[in-house]
Coordinates of all heavy atoms in Angstrom, one line a residue:
M1 N -142.3 -63.3 153.6 CA -141.1 -62.9 152.9 C -140.9 -61.4 152.9 O -141.8 -60.6 152.7 CB -141.2 -63.3 151.4 CG -139.9 -63.2 150.7 SD -139.9 -64.2 149.2 CE -138.6 -63.3 148.4
T2 N -139.7 -60.9 153.3 CA -139.5 -59.5 153.4 C -138.7 -59.0 152.2 O -138.0 -59.7 151.6 CB -138.7 -59.2 154.7 OG1 -137.6 -60.0 154.8 CG2 -139.6 -59.5 155.9
S3 N -138.9 -57.7 152.0 CA -138.2 -57.1 150.9 C -136.7 -56.9 151.2 O -136.4 -56.7 152.4 CB -138.8 -55.7 150.6 OG -137.9 -54.9 150.0
E4 N -135.9 -56.9 150.2 CA -134.5 -56.7 150.5 C -134.2 -55.3 151.0 O -133.2 -55.1 151.7 CB -133.7 -56.9 149.2 CG -133.5 -58.4 148.8 CD -132.7 -58.5 147.5 OE1 -131.6 -57.9 147.4 OE2 -133.3 -59.0 146.6
R5 N -135.0 -54.4 150.5 CA -134.7 -53.0 150.9 C -135.4 -52.5 152.1 O -134.9 -51.7 152.8 CB -135.0 -52.1 149.7 CG -134.3 -52.6 148.5 CD -134.5 -51.6 147.4 NE -133.7 -52.0 146.2 CZ -133.2 -51.3 145.3 NH1 -133.4 -50.0 145.4 NH2 -132.5 -51.8 144.3
G6 N -136.6 -53.0 152.3 CA -137.4 -52.6 153.5 C -138.1 -51.3 153.3 O -139.0 -51.0 154.0
I7 N -137.6 -50.5 152.4 CA -138.2 -49.1 152.2 C -139.0 -49.1 150.9 O -138.5 -49.5 149.9 CB -137.2 -48.0 152.2 CG1 -136.3 -48.1 153.5 CG2 -137.8 -46.7 152.1 CD1 -135.1 -47.3 153.5
H8 N -140.2 -48.6 151.0 CA -141.0 -48.5 149.7 C -141.5 -47.1 149.6 O -142.3 -46.6 150.4 CB -142.2 -49.4 149.8 CG -141.8 -50.9 149.7 ND1 -141.5 -51.5 148.5 CD2 -141.6 -51.8 150.6 CE1 -141.1 -52.7 148.7 NE2 -141.2 -53.0 150.0
T9 N -140.9 -46.4 148.7 CA -141.3 -45.0 148.4 C -141.9 -44.9 147.0 O -141.3 -45.4 146.1 CB -140.2 -44.0 148.6 OG1 -139.0 -44.5 148.0 CG2 -140.0 -43.7 150.1
A10 N -143.1 -44.3 146.9 CA -143.7 -44.3 145.6 C -143.2 -43.1 144.8 O -143.1 -43.2 143.6 CB -145.2 -44.1 145.8
I11 N -142.7 -42.1 145.4 CA -142.3 -40.9 144.7 C -140.8 -40.7 145.0 O -140.4 -40.6 146.1 CB -143.1 -39.7 145.1 CG1 -144.6 -39.9 144.8 CG2 -142.6 -38.4 144.4 CD1 -145.5 -38.9 145.4
Y12 N -140.1 -40.5 143.9 CA -138.7 -40.3 144.0 C -138.4 -38.8 143.6 O -139.0 -38.3 142.6 CB -137.9 -41.1 143.0 CG -137.7 -42.6 143.5 CD1 -138.8 -43.4 143.5 CD2 -136.5 -43.0 143.9 CE1 -138.7 -44.7 143.9 CE2 -136.4 -44.3 144.3 CZ -137.5 -45.2 144.3 OH -137.4 -46.5 144.8
P13 N -137.6 -38.2 144.4 CA -137.2 -36.8 144.0 C -136.4 -36.8 142.7 O -135.8 -37.7 142.3 CB -136.4 -36.3 145.1 CG -135.8 -37.5 145.8 CD -136.8 -38.6 145.5
D14 N -136.5 -35.6 142.0 CA -135.8 -35.6 140.7 C -134.3 -35.7 140.8 O -133.7 -36.1 139.8 CB -136.1 -34.2 140.0 CG -137.4 -34.3 139.2 OD1 -138.0 -35.4 139.2 OD2 -137.8 -33.3 138.7
D15 N -133.7 -35.4 142.0 CA -132.3 -35.5 142.1 C -131.9 -36.9 142.7 O -130.7 -37.0 143.1 CB -131.7 -34.4 142.8 CG -132.2 -34.3 144.2 OD1 -133.2 -35.0 144.6 OD2 -131.7 -33.5 145.0
A16 N -132.8 -37.8 142.8 CA -132.4 -39.1 143.2 C -131.4 -39.7 142.3 O -131.7 -39.7 141.1 CB -133.7 -40.0 143.4
P17 N -130.3 -40.2 142.8 CA -129.3 -40.8 141.9 C -129.8 -42.1 141.3 O -130.5 -42.9 141.9 CB -128.1 -41.0 142.8 CG -128.7 -41.1 144.2 CD -129.9 -40.3 144.2
I18 N -129.4 -42.4 140.1 CA -129.6 -43.6 139.5 C -128.3 -44.3 139.2 O -127.3 -43.6 139.1 CB -130.4 -43.5 138.1 CG1 -129.7 -42.5 137.2 CG2 -131.9 -43.0 138.4 CD1 -130.3 -42.4 135.8
G19 N -128.3 -45.6 139.1 CA -127.1 -46.3 138.9 C -126.4 -46.0 137.6 O -127.1 -45.6 136.6
D20 N -125.1 -46.1 137.5 CA -124.4 -45.9 136.3 C -124.6 -47.0 135.3 O -124.8 -46.7 134.1 CB -122.9 -45.8 136.6 CG -122.5 -44.4 137.1 OD1 -123.3 -43.6 137.2 OD2 -121.3 -44.3 137.4
A21 N -124.6 -48.2 135.8 CA -124.6 -49.3 134.8 C -126.0 -49.8 134.5 O -126.3 -50.3 133.4 CB -123.8 -50.4 135.4
Y22 N -126.9 -49.7 135.4 CA -128.2 -50.3 135.2 C -129.3 -49.5 136.0 O -128.9 -48.8 136.9 CB -128.3 -51.7 135.6 CG -128.2 -52.0 137.1 CD1 -129.3 -52.1 137.9 CD2 -126.9 -52.0 137.7 CE1 -129.2 -52.3 139.2 CE2 -126.8 -52.2 139.0 CZ -127.9 -52.3 139.8 OH -127.8 -52.5 141.2
L23 N -130.5 -49.6 135.6 CA -131.6 -48.9 136.2 C -132.3 -49.8 137.2 O -132.5 -51.0 136.8 CB -132.6 -48.4 135.2 CG -132.0 -47.3 134.3 CD1 -133.0 -47.1 133.1 CD2 -131.8 -46.0 135.0
T24 N -132.7 -49.3 138.3 CA -133.5 -50.2 139.2 C -134.9 -50.3 138.7 O -135.3 -49.4 137.9 CB -133.5 -49.6 140.6 OG1 -134.1 -48.3 140.6 CG2 -132.1 -49.4 141.2
H25 N -135.5 -51.3 139.1 CA -136.9 -51.5 138.7 C -137.8 -50.3 139.1 O -138.6 -49.8 138.4 CB -137.4 -52.7 139.4 CG -138.7 -53.2 138.9 ND1 -138.9 -53.7 137.6 CD2 -140.0 -53.2 139.5 CE1 -140.2 -54.0 137.5 NE2 -140.8 -53.7 138.6
E26 N -137.4 -49.7 140.3 CA -138.2 -48.5 140.8 C -138.0 -47.3 139.9 O -138.9 -46.6 139.7 CB -137.8 -48.2 142.3 CG -138.3 -49.2 143.3 CD -137.3 -50.4 143.5 OE1 -136.4 -50.6 142.6 OE2 -137.4 -51.1 144.5
A27 N -136.7 -47.1 139.5 CA -136.4 -46.0 138.7 C -137.2 -46.1 137.3 O -137.8 -45.1 136.9 CB -134.9 -45.9 138.4
V28 N -137.2 -47.3 136.8 CA -137.9 -47.5 135.5 C -139.4 -47.2 135.7 O -140.0 -46.5 134.9 CB -137.7 -49.0 135.1 CG1 -138.7 -49.3 134.0 CG2 -136.3 -49.2 134.6
R29 N -139.9 -47.7 136.8 CA -141.4 -47.5 137.0 C -141.7 -46.0 137.2 O -142.7 -45.5 136.8 CB -141.8 -48.3 138.2 CG -143.2 -48.8 138.1 CD -143.6 -49.7 139.2 NE -143.3 -49.0 140.5 CZ -143.1 -49.7 141.7 NH1 -143.3 -51.0 141.7 NH2 -142.8 -49.0 142.8
T30 N -140.8 -45.4 138.0 CA -141.0 -43.9 138.3 C -141.1 -43.1 137.0 O -141.9 -42.3 136.8 CB -139.9 -43.4 139.2 OG1 -140.0 -44.2 140.4 CG2 -140.2 -42.0 139.6
V31 N -140.1 -43.4 136.1 CA -140.0 -42.6 134.9 C -141.2 -42.9 134.0 O -141.9 -42.0 133.5 CB -138.7 -42.9 134.1 CG1 -138.7 -42.3 132.8 CG2 -137.5 -42.4 134.9
L32 N -141.6 -44.2 133.9 CA -142.7 -44.5 133.1 C -144.0 -43.9 133.6 O -144.9 -43.4 132.8 CB -142.9 -46.0 133.0 CG -141.8 -46.7 132.1 CD1 -142.0 -48.2 132.1 CD2 -141.9 -46.2 130.7
E33 N -144.2 -43.9 134.9 CA -145.4 -43.3 135.5 C -145.4 -41.8 135.3 O -146.5 -41.3 134.9 CB -145.4 -43.6 137.0 CG -146.1 -45.0 137.3 CD -146.0 -45.3 138.8 OE1 -145.8 -44.4 139.6 OE2 -146.1 -46.5 139.1
R34 N -144.3 -41.2 135.4 CA -144.2 -39.7 135.2 C -144.6 -39.4 133.8 O -145.2 -38.4 133.5 CB -142.8 -39.3 135.5 CG -142.6 -37.8 135.5 CD -141.2 -37.4 135.9 NE -140.2 -37.8 134.9 CZ -138.9 -38.0 135.2 NH1 -138.4 -37.7 136.3 NH2 -138.1 -38.4 134.2
Q35 N -144.2 -40.3 132.8 CA -144.5 -40.0 131.4 C -145.8 -40.7 131.0 O -146.1 -40.7 129.8 CB -143.3 -40.5 130.6 CG -142.1 -39.7 130.8 CD -140.9 -40.2 129.9 OE1 -139.8 -39.9 130.2 NE2 -141.2 -41.0 128.9
D36 N -146.5 -41.2 131.9 CA -147.8 -41.9 131.6 C -147.6 -43.0 130.6 O -148.5 -43.2 129.7 CB -148.8 -40.8 131.1 CG -150.2 -41.1 131.4 OD1 -150.4 -42.0 132.3 OD2 -151.1 -40.5 130.9
N37 N -146.5 -43.7 130.7 CA -146.2 -44.8 129.7 C -146.1 -44.3 128.3 O -146.4 -45.1 127.4 CB -147.2 -45.9 129.9 CG -146.8 -46.8 131.1 OD1 -145.8 -47.3 131.2 ND2 -147.8 -46.8 132.1
R38 N -145.7 -43.1 128.1 CA -145.6 -42.6 126.7 C -144.2 -42.1 126.5 O -143.5 -41.7 127.4 CB -146.6 -41.5 126.5 CG -148.0 -42.0 126.3 CD -149.0 -40.9 126.2 NE -150.3 -41.5 126.2 CZ -150.9 -42.0 125.1 NH1 -150.3 -41.9 124.0 NH2 -152.1 -42.5 125.2
C39 N -143.8 -42.2 125.2 CA -142.4 -41.7 124.8 C -142.3 -40.2 125.1 O -143.2 -39.4 124.8 CB -142.3 -42.0 123.3 SG -140.8 -41.3 122.7
A40 N -141.1 -39.9 125.7 CA -140.8 -38.4 126.0 C -140.6 -37.6 124.7 O -140.8 -36.4 124.7 CB -139.6 -38.3 126.8
G41 N -140.4 -38.3 123.6 CA -140.1 -37.6 122.3 C -141.3 -37.4 121.5 O -141.6 -36.3 121.1
C42 N -142.1 -38.4 121.3 CA -143.2 -38.3 120.4 C -144.6 -38.7 121.0 O -145.6 -38.8 120.3 CB -143.0 -39.2 119.1 SG -143.0 -41.0 119.5
S43 N -144.6 -39.0 122.3 CA -145.8 -39.4 123.0 C -146.5 -40.7 122.5 O -147.6 -41.0 122.9 CB -146.8 -38.3 122.9 OG -146.4 -37.1 123.6
A44 N -145.8 -41.5 121.8 CA -146.3 -42.8 121.4 C -146.3 -43.7 122.7 O -145.5 -43.6 123.5 CB -145.4 -43.4 120.4
P45 N -147.3 -44.5 122.8 CA -147.4 -45.5 123.9 C -146.2 -46.4 123.9 O -145.8 -46.9 122.9 CB -148.7 -46.3 123.7 CG -149.4 -45.5 122.6 CD -148.5 -44.7 121.9
L46 N -145.6 -46.6 125.1 CA -144.4 -47.4 125.2 C -144.7 -48.8 125.4 O -145.5 -49.2 126.3 CB -143.5 -46.8 126.3 CG -142.8 -45.5 126.0 CD1 -142.2 -44.9 127.2 CD2 -141.8 -45.6 124.8
D47 N -144.0 -49.7 124.7 CA -144.1 -51.1 124.9 C -142.9 -51.5 125.8 O -141.7 -51.1 125.6 CB -143.9 -51.8 123.6 CG -144.0 -53.3 123.7 OD1 -143.6 -53.8 124.7 OD2 -144.5 -53.9 122.7
A48 N -143.2 -52.2 126.9 CA -142.1 -52.5 127.9 C -140.9 -53.2 127.2 O -139.8 -53.1 127.7 CB -142.7 -53.4 129.0
R49 N -141.1 -54.0 126.2 CA -140.0 -54.7 125.5 C -139.2 -53.8 124.6 O -138.1 -54.2 124.2 CB -140.6 -55.9 124.8 CG -140.9 -57.0 125.7 CD -141.8 -58.0 124.9 NE -143.0 -57.3 124.4 CZ -143.9 -57.8 123.6 NH1 -143.7 -59.0 123.1 NH2 -144.9 -57.1 123.2
S50 N -139.7 -52.7 124.2 CA -139.0 -51.8 123.3 C -138.9 -50.4 123.8 O -139.2 -49.5 123.1 CB -139.6 -51.9 121.9 OG -140.9 -51.5 122.0
T51 N -138.6 -50.2 125.1 CA -138.5 -48.9 125.7 C -137.0 -48.7 126.0 O -136.4 -49.5 126.6 CB -139.3 -48.8 127.0 OG1 -140.7 -49.1 126.7 CG2 -139.2 -47.4 127.6
Y52 N -136.5 -47.5 125.6 CA -135.2 -47.2 125.9 C -135.1 -46.1 126.9 O -135.9 -45.1 126.8 CB -134.4 -46.7 124.6 CG -134.2 -47.9 123.6 CD1 -135.3 -48.2 122.8 CD2 -133.0 -48.6 123.6 CE1 -135.1 -49.3 121.9 CE2 -132.9 -49.6 122.7 CZ -133.9 -49.9 121.8 OH -133.7 -51.0 121.0
F53 N -134.2 -46.2 127.8 CA -134.0 -45.1 128.8 C -132.7 -44.4 128.5 O -131.6 -45.0 128.4 CB -134.0 -45.8 130.2 CG -135.3 -46.3 130.6 CD1 -135.7 -47.6 130.3 CD2 -136.2 -45.4 131.3 CE1 -137.0 -48.0 130.7 CE2 -137.5 -45.9 131.6 CZ -137.8 -47.2 131.3
D54 N -132.9 -43.1 128.4 CA -131.7 -42.2 128.1 C -131.7 -41.1 129.1 O -132.7 -40.6 129.6 CB -131.8 -41.7 126.7 CG -131.5 -42.7 125.7 OD1 -130.4 -43.3 125.8 OD2 -132.3 -42.9 124.8
L55 N -130.4 -40.6 129.3 CA -130.3 -39.3 130.0 C -130.6 -38.2 129.1 O -130.0 -38.1 128.0 CB -128.9 -39.2 130.6 CG -128.5 -40.2 131.6 CD1 -127.0 -40.0 132.0 CD2 -129.3 -40.0 132.9
R56 N -131.5 -37.3 129.5 CA -131.9 -36.2 128.6 C -130.7 -35.4 128.2 O -130.4 -35.1 127.1 CB -132.9 -35.3 129.3 CG -133.8 -34.5 128.4 CD -134.9 -33.9 129.3 NE -135.7 -34.9 130.0 CZ -136.5 -34.6 131.0 NH1 -136.6 -33.4 131.5 NH2 -137.1 -35.6 131.6
Q57 N -129.9 -35.0 129.3 CA -128.6 -34.4 129.0 C -127.6 -35.5 129.3 O -127.4 -35.9 130.4 CB -128.4 -33.2 129.9 CG -127.1 -32.6 129.7 CD -126.9 -31.2 130.3 OE1 -127.6 -30.9 131.2 NE2 -125.9 -30.5 129.9
P58 N -126.9 -35.9 128.2 CA -126.0 -37.1 128.4 C -124.9 -36.8 129.3 O -124.4 -35.7 129.5 CB -125.5 -37.3 127.0 CG -125.8 -36.1 126.2 CD -127.0 -35.4 126.9
A59 N -124.4 -37.9 130.0 CA -123.3 -37.8 130.9 C -122.1 -37.2 130.2 O -121.3 -36.4 130.9 CB -123.0 -39.1 131.5
I60 N -121.9 -37.5 129.0 CA -120.8 -37.0 128.2 C -120.8 -35.5 128.1 O -119.8 -34.9 127.9 CB -120.7 -37.7 126.8 CG1 -119.3 -37.8 126.3 CG2 -121.7 -37.1 125.9 CD1 -119.1 -38.7 125.2
C61 N -122.0 -34.9 128.2 CA -122.1 -33.5 128.1 C -122.4 -32.9 129.5 O -122.9 -31.8 129.7 CB -123.3 -33.1 127.2 SG -123.1 -33.7 125.5
G62 N -122.1 -33.6 130.6 CA -122.2 -33.1 131.9 C -123.5 -33.4 132.6 O -123.8 -32.8 133.6
G63 N -124.4 -34.2 132.0 CA -125.7 -34.5 132.5 C -125.5 -35.3 133.8 O -124.7 -36.2 133.8
P64 N -126.3 -35.1 134.8 CA -126.3 -35.8 136.0 C -127.0 -37.2 135.9 O -127.9 -37.3 135.1 CB -127.0 -35.0 137.0 CG -128.0 -34.2 136.2 CD -127.3 -34.0 134.8
H65 N -126.5 -38.1 136.7 CA -127.2 -39.5 136.7 C -128.3 -39.4 137.7 O -128.2 -39.9 138.8 CB -126.2 -40.5 137.1 CG -125.5 -41.1 135.9 ND1 -126.0 -42.2 135.2 CD2 -124.3 -40.7 135.3 CE1 -125.1 -42.5 134.2 NE2 -124.1 -41.6 134.2
T66 N -129.3 -38.7 137.4 CA -130.5 -38.6 138.3 C -131.8 -38.9 137.6 O -131.8 -38.8 136.4 CB -130.6 -37.1 138.9 OG1 -130.7 -36.3 137.8 CG2 -129.3 -36.8 139.7
L67 N -132.8 -39.2 138.4 CA -134.1 -39.5 137.9 C -134.6 -38.3 137.0 O -135.3 -38.5 136.0 CB -135.0 -39.8 139.0 CG -135.1 -41.3 139.4 CD1 -136.2 -41.4 140.5 CD2 -135.5 -42.2 138.3
G68 N -134.4 -37.1 137.5 CA -134.9 -35.9 136.8 C -134.3 -35.8 135.4 O -134.9 -35.1 134.6
N69 N -133.2 -36.4 135.2 CA -132.5 -36.2 133.9 C -132.8 -37.5 133.0 O -132.2 -37.6 131.9 CB -131.0 -36.1 134.1 CG -130.3 -35.6 132.9 OD1 -130.8 -34.9 132.0 ND2 -129.1 -36.1 132.7
L70 N -133.6 -38.4 133.6 CA -133.8 -39.6 132.8 C -135.1 -39.6 132.1 O -136.1 -39.0 132.6 CB -133.9 -40.8 133.8 CG -133.9 -42.2 133.3 CD1 -132.5 -42.5 132.7 CD2 -134.2 -43.2 134.4
E71 N -135.2 -40.1 130.9 CA -136.4 -40.2 130.1 C -136.5 -41.5 129.4 O -135.5 -42.1 129.1 CB -136.5 -39.0 129.2 CG -135.5 -39.0 128.1 CD -135.5 -37.7 127.2 OE1 -136.3 -36.8 127.5 OE2 -134.8 -37.7 126.3
A72 N -137.8 -41.9 129.2 CA -138.1 -43.1 128.5 C -138.4 -42.8 127.0 O -139.2 -41.8 126.8 CB -139.2 -43.9 129.1
L73 N -137.8 -43.5 126.1 CA -138.1 -43.2 124.7 C -138.4 -44.5 123.9 O -138.0 -45.6 124.3 CB -136.8 -42.6 124.1 CG -136.3 -41.3 124.6 CD1 -134.9 -41.0 124.1 CD2 -137.2 -40.2 124.2
C74 N -139.2 -44.3 122.8 CA -139.5 -45.4 121.9 C -138.2 -45.6 121.1 O -137.3 -44.7 121.1 CB -140.7 -45.0 121.1 SG -140.3 -43.8 119.8
P75 N -138.1 -46.7 120.4 CA -136.9 -47.0 119.6 C -136.5 -45.9 118.7 O -135.3 -45.5 118.6 CB -137.2 -48.3 118.9 CG -138.2 -49.0 119.8 CD -139.0 -47.8 120.4
S76 N -137.5 -45.3 117.9 CA -137.1 -44.4 116.9 C -136.6 -43.1 117.6 O -135.6 -42.4 117.1 CB -138.2 -44.2 115.9 OG -139.0 -43.1 116.3
C77 N -137.2 -42.6 118.7 CA -136.8 -41.4 119.3 C -135.4 -41.7 120.0 O -134.6 -40.8 120.1 CB -137.8 -40.9 120.4 SG -139.2 -40.2 119.6
H78 N -135.2 -42.9 120.5 CA -133.9 -43.3 121.1 C -132.8 -43.1 120.1 O -131.8 -42.5 120.4 CB -134.0 -44.7 121.6 CG -132.7 -45.3 122.0 ND1 -132.0 -44.8 123.1 CD2 -131.9 -46.2 121.4 CE1 -130.8 -45.5 123.2 NE2 -130.8 -46.3 122.1
W79 N -133.0 -43.6 118.9 CA -131.9 -43.5 117.9 C -131.7 -42.0 117.4 O -130.6 -41.6 117.2 CB -132.2 -44.4 116.7 CG -132.1 -45.8 117.1 CD1 -133.1 -46.7 117.1 CD2 -130.9 -46.5 117.6 NE1 -132.6 -47.9 117.6 CE2 -131.3 -47.8 117.9 CE3 -129.6 -46.0 117.8 CZ2 -130.4 -48.7 118.4 CZ3 -128.7 -47.0 118.3 CH2 -129.1 -48.3 118.6
K80 N -132.8 -41.2 117.4 CA -132.7 -39.8 117.1 C -131.8 -39.1 118.2 O -131.0 -38.3 117.9 CB -134.0 -39.1 117.0 CG -134.7 -39.3 115.6 CD -136.0 -38.5 115.6 CE -137.1 -39.3 115.0 NZ -138.4 -38.8 115.4
H81 N -132.2 -39.5 119.4 CA -131.5 -38.9 120.6 C -130.0 -39.2 120.5 O -129.1 -38.4 120.7 CB -132.1 -39.6 121.8 CG -131.6 -39.0 123.1 ND1 -131.9 -37.8 123.6 CD2 -130.7 -39.6 124.0 CE1 -131.3 -37.6 124.8 NE2 -130.6 -38.7 125.0
I82 N -129.6 -40.5 120.2 CA -128.3 -40.9 120.1 C -127.5 -40.2 119.0 O -126.4 -39.7 119.2 CB -128.2 -42.5 119.8 CG1 -128.8 -43.2 121.0 CG2 -126.7 -42.9 119.5 CD1 -127.9 -43.2 122.2
R83 N -128.2 -40.0 117.9 CA -127.6 -39.3 116.8 C -127.3 -37.9 117.1 O -126.3 -37.3 116.8 CB -128.5 -39.5 115.5 CG -127.7 -39.4 114.2 CD -128.5 -39.9 113.1 NE -129.8 -39.3 113.0 CZ -130.9 -39.8 112.6 NH1 -130.9 -41.1 112.1 NH2 -132.0 -39.1 112.5
R84 N -128.3 -37.3 117.8 CA -128.2 -35.9 118.2 C -127.0 -35.7 119.1 O -126.2 -34.7 119.0 CB -129.4 -35.4 118.8 CG -129.7 -33.9 118.7 CD -131.2 -33.6 119.0 NE -131.5 -34.1 120.4 CZ -132.6 -34.7 120.7 NH1 -133.5 -34.9 119.7 NH2 -132.9 -35.1 121.9
I85 N -126.8 -36.6 120.0 CA -125.7 -36.5 121.0 C -124.4 -36.7 120.2 O -123.4 -35.9 120.5 CB -125.8 -37.6 122.0 CG1 -127.0 -37.3 123.0 CG2 -124.5 -37.7 122.9 CD1 -127.4 -38.5 123.8
R86 N -124.3 -37.6 119.3 CA -123.1 -37.8 118.5 C -122.7 -36.6 117.8 O -121.6 -36.2 117.7 CB -123.3 -39.0 117.6 CG -123.3 -40.3 118.3 CD -122.8 -41.4 117.4 NE -122.9 -42.7 118.1 CZ -123.5 -43.8 117.6 NH1 -124.1 -43.7 116.4 NH2 -123.5 -44.9 118.3
E87 N -123.8 -36.0 117.1 CA -123.5 -34.7 116.4 C -123.0 -33.6 117.3 O -122.1 -32.9 117.0 CB -124.8 -34.3 115.6 CG -125.0 -35.1 114.4 CD -126.4 -34.9 113.8 OE1 -127.1 -34.0 114.3 OE2 -126.8 -35.7 113.0
R88 N -123.7 -33.5 118.4 CA -123.3 -32.5 119.4 C -121.9 -32.7 119.9 O -121.1 -31.8 120.0 CB -124.2 -32.5 120.6 CG -124.4 -31.1 121.2 CD -124.9 -31.1 122.6 NE -126.1 -31.8 122.7 CZ -126.7 -31.9 123.9 NH1 -126.2 -31.3 125.0 NH2 -127.9 -32.6 124.0
F89 N -121.6 -33.9 120.1 CA -120.2 -34.3 120.6 C -119.2 -34.0 119.6 O -118.1 -33.5 119.8 CB -120.2 -35.7 121.1 CG -119.0 -36.1 121.9 CD1 -118.6 -35.3 123.0 CD2 -118.2 -37.1 121.5 CE1 -117.5 -35.6 123.7 CE2 -117.0 -37.4 122.2 CZ -116.7 -36.7 123.3
A90 N -119.5 -34.3 118.3 CA -118.6 -34.1 117.2 C -118.3 -32.6 117.1 O -117.2 -32.1 116.8 CB -119.2 -34.6 115.9
D91 N -119.4 -31.8 117.3 CA -119.3 -30.3 117.2 C -118.3 -29.8 118.3 O -117.4 -29.0 118.0 CB -120.6 -29.7 117.5 CG -121.5 -29.5 116.2 OD1 -120.9 -29.9 115.2 OD2 -122.6 -29.1 116.3
H92 N -118.4 -30.4 119.5 CA -117.6 -30.0 120.6 C -116.1 -30.2 120.2 O -115.2 -29.4 120.4 CB -117.9 -30.8 121.8 CG -119.0 -30.2 122.6 ND1 -118.9 -29.0 123.2 CD2 -120.2 -30.7 123.0 CE1 -120.0 -28.8 123.9 NE2 -120.8 -29.8 123.8
R93 N -115.9 -31.3 119.6 CA -114.5 -31.7 119.3 C -113.9 -30.9 118.1 O -112.7 -30.7 118.1 CB -114.4 -33.2 119.0 CG -114.5 -34.0 120.2 CD -114.8 -35.5 120.0 NE -113.8 -36.0 119.0 CZ -113.5 -37.3 118.9 NH1 -114.1 -38.1 119.8 NH2 -112.7 -37.7 118.0
N94 N -114.8 -30.4 117.3 CA -114.3 -29.6 116.2 C -114.0 -28.2 116.5 O -113.4 -27.5 115.7 CB -115.3 -29.6 115.0 CG -115.4 -31.0 114.4 OD1 -114.4 -31.8 114.5 ND2 -116.5 -31.4 113.7
K95 N -114.4 -27.8 117.7 CA -114.2 -26.4 118.0 C -112.9 -26.1 118.7 O -112.3 -27.1 119.2 CB -115.4 -25.9 118.9 CG -116.5 -25.3 118.1 CD -117.7 -25.1 118.9 CE -118.9 -24.9 117.9 NZ -120.2 -25.0 118.6
Ligands
LIG1 ZN1 -140.9 -41.6 120.4

């Protein structure tokens, strides 16, 4: 049985594009390996079932859809991240 892609690269450059709608299995694994399976916010060990992937700099603020801008977060850091973005975005609109 052959792979659909045929290419297997262990290391992805930081500017490798990631999909808009979903993350590839490889992208997920690359980010988790880079972070040693720990949350980028609080360093808590990540559970595969409750890991959230976020763009460090959100697309709404001009963040690129690249691996280098992607981070894995635990649920509580994920919600903090979302709230921070909402606040930042609200600030932008008020100015
Ligand atoms: Zn965390």
Side-chain angles (χ1 to χ4, degrees):
M1 192 162 160
T2 52
S3 159
E4 280 179 61
R5 303 189 179 208
I7 303 168
H8 290 279
T9 40
I11 298 166
Y12 284 69
D14 274 359
D15 60 352
I18 54 172
D20 279 359
Y22 67 97
L23 294 170
T24 63
H25 192 67
E26 288 89 344
V28 166
R29 210 178 49 199
T30 302
V31 171
L32 286 176
E33 274 175 19
R34 188 175 64 199
Q35 294 181 198
D36 213 12
N37 282 300
R38 287 175 185 276
C39 172
C42 67
S43 294
L46 290 170
D47 181 330
R49 282 163 304 171
S50 56
T51 301
Y52 291 84
F53 289 88
D54 284 307
L55 292 175
R56 201 170 305 163
Q57 180 167 18
I60 206 166
C61 301
H65 272 272
T66 60
L67 271 183
N69 193 34
L70 191 70
E71 63 186 6
L73 295 171
C74 72
S76 95
C77 287
H78 168 70
W79 290 115
K80 274 186 231 161
H81 182 76
I82 296 289
R83 209 164 51 212
R84 209 166 53 225
I85 291 165
R86 285 207 184 127
E87 280 165 12
R88 208 200 305 180
F89 192 55
D91 275 356
H92 274 300
R93 286 168 46 158
N94 289 337
K95 270 171 197 163

